[in-house]
Amino acid sequence: MTSFDDRERAFETQHARDAEIQFKIIARRNRLIGQWAAQKMGLTPEETDAYAKAVIRADFEEAGDEDVIRKLLGDLTSAGVEIDGDTIRRALDERMVEARRQFIEAQ
């Protein structure tokens, strides 16, 4: 019975570790997409940093990426940037690849 319990604990530990890594990668992706959007809006470096943090916080509103997409789409449109949801989704996908690469390199 102990070997079964040990395997179960190992799986639980691995699942928790995987979830933590995924959380960190998504937060990094959100920072990158926030910087991308800030550049399109012509924000200063200080405003860019604050905006990237706001994008990270926006992801806590609901599960999935729709909360981030809504924020970016609303903010970019308000700033006069011509953009649509599909363009933002593609940018998110590109930033996810970059975030994973950065995370791996940091290890």
Side-chain angles (χ1 to χ4, degrees):
M1 193 69 157
T2 58
S3 73
F4 179 77
D5 292 338
D6 290 344
R7 285 184 61 200
E8 184 177 16
R9 261 187 251 111
F11 283 128
E12 289 171 358
T13 301
Q14 183 63 39
H15 177 72
R17 185 178 181 289
D18 291 348
E20 180 182 351
I21 289 170
Q22 187 66 12
F23 175 82
K24 289 178 180 180
I25 291 171
I26 289 173
R28 188 176 298 233
R29 179 211 59 186
N30 290 341
R31 174 175 294 281
L32 292 170
I33 197 74
Q35 292 168 344
W36 170 83
Q39 180 185 24
K40 291 197 169 297
M41 292 186 283
L43 301 181
T44 66
E46 296 80 22
E47 291 169 330
T48 296
D49 187 51
Y51 187 74
K53 289 176 184 175
V55 172
I56 292 169
R57 283 191 302 275
D59 196 25
F60 295 116
E61 291 177 15
E62 63 186 50
D65 295 334
E66 291 306 311
D67 44 1
V68 172
I69 293 167
R70 264 194 316 276
K71 174 169 184 47
L72 293 168
L73 186 58
D75 292 346
L76 288 163
T77 302
S78 294
V81 177
E82 291 286 328
I83 197 155
D84 61 20
D86 290 336
T87 302
I88 292 173
R89 282 180 181 83
R90 280 192 302 276
L92 272 173
D93 290 344
E94 292 166 6
R95 296 324 174 280
M96 181 62 101
V97 170
E98 177 65 16
R100 281 190 180 119
R101 185 190 62 75
Q102 288 180 6
F103 185 82
I104 290 168
E105 287 177 356
Q107 296 301 308

